[in-house]
Amino acid sequence: MNGRRFAIIVFIIAIMFGTVVLVGISKNTPLVIITSMIATTIAVATPLTLGALCGLYCERAGVVNIGIEGTMLGAAFFGWLASIYMNTIFHFPAMPSLIVGVMAAVLTGGLFALLHAVLSITFKVDQIIGGTVINILASGITGFLNRQMFFGAGSVFHGNIPDSPGVLPTIRIPLLADIPVIGRVFIQQPIAWSAIALVIITQIVIFHTRWGLRTRAVGEHPRAADTVGINVIRMRYFNVIIGGLLAGLAGAYFTLESISSFQPDMTNGRGFIALAAMIFGNWTPFGAWSAALVFGAAQALQINLQFFRTLIPPQLAVLQNSYVVGLAPYLLTMVILTGLIGKTIPPAADGKPYEK
Amino acid sequence: MQRPDEQGFFKNLQRWLEPLLVPVLAILTAVILGGIIVKVVNGDPIAAYRGLIQGAFGSPRALSETAVWATPYIFAGLAVAFAFKGGLFNIGAEGQIALGAVFAALIGYALPGWLHTSLPAYIHIPLAVGMGMLAGAIWGGIPGALKAYTGGHEVINTIMMNYIALNLTSFLLNGPMRDPDPTDLSARTPEIAPSARIPPLFNIPGMRVHWGFVLALVVAVIIWWLLWKTTLGFEIRTVGANPDAAKYAGINVKRTIIITMAISGALAGLAGAIEVTALNYRHELGFSTGYGFDAIAIALLGKTNPYGVILAALLFGAMRNGATRMQFLTQIPTDIISVIQALILLFVAADAIIRFIYRIRAHEERVVLTRGWGG
């Protein structure tokens, strides 16, 4: 992450936080508002961070994966379904059901990634088309099963949506969470904490292990890697699947951590924003994370402005409209990707199938 | 298109049918897999498909509805296929369709009021449809310009433009453009003036097929002509095949990219405009959901060839149309169609899988469709 990009991030976050502080100042102190913004930002950046890490593993190994969106959606659905099955049909208590749900989501992510790997590595399908196939397939399957299982006549749950086992409980960091006011930042749910841990782990794996070196080798110059005895196909398969597991965890965030229900197409483009975060972060874990935080802040801005809706002064009435504020993350993605980003360098063999 | 020569009728027939082989097998395989999925969730696949076919082709009215469904698919499929020819992936058809519909509706209902006069249909219809195309062209042209001048990849930008269009239409249809009639509770525009309406083909009640369907066929021919018989088409295809070679041959690559995306967007905008002016007579929130992704499947199934797009669009139109009857008869949700369509797309995109299953050797050259972040 170079200085220029860091400055951009700080500047954008300052603008967004400043807006909310200005709007909410008559109700709360700036410290309370900023704390709340930071806490929301970290939470909503979770699927973006994990999605970006998924893209990072894939692309560092030379496989473009734009199917992250669909992978997350599929994982969100099947994780949620598994937790409900455990809870309602097998009568497990809430917590074990949720854990099984998360595992099912992660597994689903891995399976979608396996499909992408088969398409793009073995069958050498155009990787962007392959990813699009996954997105359409995930949207179709989850939409169909959601209606068939829960709402159709003769469905498993006879048209009654069963009670879901709720969402994952928060985890407090001891001591830090006890600090007055700003302690709130240190109370987050488990997937949010895992995402941060995985950023650090990915940094170590990609840049400080033999696995990472080999991964980068097959992403930059697969022929050279092959010559020194690295199994290009195998490395690509494993990295794409590792990425899929992470995207699966991101999917679990939607239905097991953020809210406890599933809606068709609920990922709403987060998979693509995650890709933009990865590109802006120049294919590095910490870069991707900070970009994910910027997009998260845009979403936190939206959430907090809705919260302070009644306080918005009439001159800024446009900010009261949820559709207008809802544009923020998407516009920001375009602006950052095109105007502010400067030059980014993808891995040299990114998107190219390896022909022996 | 190949010209039939004298020697060997069957050889020619084979040459004509060969490009159809993989798509047909892809459809067949997807239909079988779809049937298995229906079976797994305790449905009756035979009854489901019977309902589907009945609903799509069972009566003149069913055929008319299939054509009605196919119309926006032809335009949108052409939009995506056209961009593919120029080496660009337009995932933004969804947003371009929505904006095309919104602006065609705006001209349709508001223009007579602005001018304080009624307009003859031969002026009003082209204005409304043209405005829809313009809106689509701008919405497609922006990611094109961003690609040309900043290198921002069109895949991400067109998707972001979809979400922006979605928010924008929600805003407009819930606010400034909402039907002022207090009894109208849904988020939609007022009805367009009668002078902006494209008439149906037949004057029979219940037969909704309209002149927009004919226009779609004509536009497909025009796009074929544009791509294969004009200088612009040659430049677009050259940039699509090899931008570096195009640059050395003196083609203005940046300009070509923007034009390709703008035309692609205009075609998608046309899809929305025709839906408004010929069918719904207004724009309603959520009517075009999913068209953008269907359009990608149609373009690929049609092998990015305008005539192939027509066939693929008719197939998809038939499936969407028949699905309603299928749901009515068998209670299987229409969403199964999306699954089958995704599977068709999967097998068409990964034709290697189909060739592998059915042991077909590859004869055709692979076409480059898209490029990664670097190019």
Side-chain angles (χ1 to χ4, degrees):
Chain A
M1 169 107 348
N2 58 30
R4 182 185 133 100
R5 243 173 252 176
F6 186 73
I8 291 169
I9 285 181
V10 170
F11 179 67
I12 294 173
I13 289 188
I15 287 184
M16 288 192 289
F17 276 46
T19 312
V20 179
V21 167
L22 281 179
V23 168
I25 194 109
S26 61
K27 204 172 178 180
N28 276 324
T29 62
L31 191 63
V32 172
I33 297 171
I34 290 174
T35 310
S36 147
M37 276 287 280
I38 294 175
T40 320
T41 300
I42 292 174
V44 298
T46 303
L48 304 177
T49 308
L50 288 167
L53 292 180
C54 166
L56 198 140
Y57 276 102
C58 294
E59 300 208 3
R60 279 288 180 176
V63 178
V64 170
N65 186 355
I66 69 160
I68 298 173
E69 172 87 2
T71 310
M72 295 203 300
L73 183 65
F77 177 76
F78 286 104
W80 179 68
L81 188 67
S83 78
I84 285 184
Y85 248 91
M86 293 305 285
N87 194 235
T88 315
I89 311 265
F90 301 117
H91 303 291
F92 273 68
M95 198 55 206
S97 304
L98 287 169
I99 291 171
V100 170
V102 172
M103 292 193 304
V106 171
L107 192 69
T108 310
L111 286 175
F112 272 100
L114 179 65
L115 175 63
H116 187 62
V118 171
L119 288 177
S120 56
I121 302 168
T122 303
F123 286 108
K124 301 187 178 70
V125 173
D126 184 315
Q127 293 172 5
I128 290 187
I129 306 285
T132 307
V133 167
I134 285 173
N135 291 333
I136 298 179
L137 195 64
S139 170
I141 287 182
T142 55
F144 170 68
L145 289 179
N146 183 42
R147 200 163 307 180
Q148 174 75 17
M149 303 193 87
F150 295 102
F151 302 105
S155 62
V156 186
F157 301 104
H158 314 290
N160 307 313
I161 306 175
D163 290 334
S164 81
V167 294
L168 293 162
T170 51
I171 296 176
R172 298 165 58 97
I173 301 283
L175 298 177
L176 288 175
D178 298 328
I179 304 171
V181 188
I182 57 168
R184 236 204 91 183
V185 173
F186 300 99
I187 307 172
Q188 298 281 355
Q189 285 160 291
I191 300 179
W193 288 130
S194 335
I196 297 170
L198 282 161
V199 169
I200 300 163
I201 293 171
T202 305
Q203 173 76 25
I204 295 168
V205 167
I206 294 288
F207 295 107
H208 301 284
T209 64
R210 193 154 70 168
W211 177 273
L213 184 65
R214 290 181 169 188
T215 301
R216 284 181 286 138
V218 302
E220 295 290 347
H221 202 318
R223 191 161 303 282
D226 198 2
T227 314
V228 296
I230 298 172
N231 188 333
V232 176
I233 305 295
R234 204 181 68 124
M235 284 308 289
R236 286 191 169 177
Y237 256 91
F238 274 112
N239 277 295
V240 169
I241 290 169
I242 290 172
L245 300 175
L246 297 179
L249 189 59
Y253 167 84
F254 290 96
T255 48
L256 301 169
E257 178 158 306
S258 167
I259 52 168
S260 61
S261 66
F262 177 84
Q263 278 121 34
D265 297 323
M266 71 188 301
T267 42
N268 256 326
R270 302 285 214 299
F272 299 110
I273 297 181
L275 268 181
M278 175 205 69
I279 296 173
F280 185 62
N282 215 0
W283 288 266
T284 63
F286 281 103
W289 186 38
S290 37
L293 287 176
V294 176
F295 295 124
Q299 228 177 309
L301 169 87
Q302 189 187 339
I303 295 166
N304 279 277
L305 277 183
Q306 284 301 105
F307 184 70
F308 291 126
R309 212 186 145 112
T310 48
L311 301 175
I312 295 174
Q315 306 93 293
L316 292 171
V318 71
L319 289 179
Q320 280 178 345
N321 191 299
S322 60
Y323 301 114
V324 174
V325 184
L327 292 177
Y330 307 115
L331 268 179
L332 189 64
T333 305
M334 288 184 71
V335 169
I336 280 192
L337 258 193
T338 55
L340 298 172
I341 194 164
K343 196 164 171 51
T344 57
I345 303 148
D350 206 6
K352 296 188 191 88
Y354 180 60
E355 314 261 1
K356 242 189 157 112
Chain B
M1 289 291 104
Q2 287 142 342
R3 178 189 301 239
D5 49 24
E6 283 74 35
Q7 43 162 328
F9 171 74
F10 284 106
K11 205 168 182 182
N12 277 319
L13 192 68
Q14 202 187 355
R15 264 172 58 195
W16 273 84
L17 289 182
E18 205 180 313
L20 293 177
L21 186 63
V22 170
V24 167
L25 288 174
I27 293 164
L28 186 74
T29 316
V31 163
I32 293 171
L33 276 177
I36 293 173
I37 294 174
V38 170
K39 191 79 203 161
V40 166
V41 295
N42 299 324
D44 178 355
I46 306 288
Y49 284 129
R50 192 181 296 138
L52 188 72
I53 291 169
Q54 211 180 64
F57 308 108
S59 63
R61 202 177 146 181
L63 284 172
S64 150
E65 284 302 295
T66 294
V68 165
W69 271 100
T71 306
Y73 280 156
I74 297 176
F75 288 124
L78 286 173
V80 179
F82 190 82
F84 271 141
K85 285 284 182 223
L88 297 159
F89 192 6
N90 180 6
I91 311 193
E94 186 103 23
Q96 294 146 13
I97 293 170
L99 282 190
V102 164
F103 282 93
L106 178 68
I107 297 296
Y109 76 79
L111 191 63
W114 293 341
L115 302 176
H116 301 292
T117 170
S118 61
L119 292 162
Y122 61 84
I123 294 179
H124 202 179
I125 293 173
L127 277 179
V129 172
M131 192 63 195
M133 286 180 76
L134 183 67
I138 292 171
W139 217 246
I142 291 171
L146 293 177
K147 165 97 173 178
Y149 288 104
T150 72
H153 201 280
E154 80 277 8
V155 165
I156 289 185
N157 280 332
T158 51
I159 290 166
M160 292 303 123
M161 297 285 280
N162 275 345
Y163 289 103
I164 294 170
L166 183 71
N167 275 287
L168 199 61
T169 19
S170 303
F171 167 69
L172 290 172
L173 295 189
N174 280 300
M177 285 177 68
R178 188 177 178 141
D179 189 356
D181 181 356
T183 59
D184 191 349
L185 295 177
S186 45
R188 55 188 189 181
T189 67
E191 282 209 332
I192 59 172
S195 55
R197 297 179 186 180
I198 294 175
L201 265 176
F202 310 106
N203 220 342
I204 307 167
M207 296 280 274
R208 294 201 304 164
V209 58
H210 48 75
W211 282 98
F213 178 65
V214 179
L215 181 68
L217 301 178
V218 172
V219 167
V221 177
I222 294 174
I223 290 299
W224 176 83
W225 172 81
L226 176 68
L227 276 172
W228 300 99
K229 300 288 169 193
T230 66
T231 315
L232 178 64
F234 175 74
E235 290 181 349
I236 288 171
R237 286 184 292 118
T238 311
V239 170
N242 190 338
D244 293 327
K247 198 170 154 191
Y248 286 116
I251 294 170
N252 186 337
V253 175
K254 289 188 161 105
R255 195 187 68 120
T256 310
I257 286 176
I258 298 171
I259 291 176
T260 309
M261 281 304 286
I263 294 178
S264 175
L267 287 166
L270 189 55
I274 295 296
E275 286 293 275
V276 166
T277 52
L279 193 68
N280 303 322
Y281 304 139
R282 59 176 11 142
H283 184 52
E284 195 163 341
L285 214 52
F287 105 91
S288 61
T289 327
Y291 281 24
F293 279 125
D294 288 348
I296 297 166
I298 289 165
L300 290 172
L301 183 59
K303 296 204 159 181
T304 71
N305 174 307
Y307 302 120
V309 165
I310 295 179
L311 290 179
L314 285 170
L315 175 78
F316 272 47
M319 282 168 61
R320 287 278 169 206
N321 174 30
T324 320
R325 177 117 189 112
M326 179 196 74
Q327 185 170 18
F328 175 71
L329 289 176
T330 60
Q331 275 78 49
I332 293 170
T334 52
D335 306 59
I336 185 69
I337 299 304
S338 309
V339 179
I340 296 178
Q341 287 177 350
L343 289 171
I344 292 177
L345 175 61
L346 170 68
F347 293 128
V348 170
D351 57 350
I353 297 178
I354 288 295
R355 292 181 197 284
F356 177 75
I357 298 175
Y358 297 96
R359 307 273 184 275
I360 305 165
R361 250 176 282 149
H363 290 294
E364 305 151 62
E365 252 182 71
R366 295 194 61 93
V367 269
V368 181
L369 288 172
T370 62
R371 261 172 225 99
W373 317 124

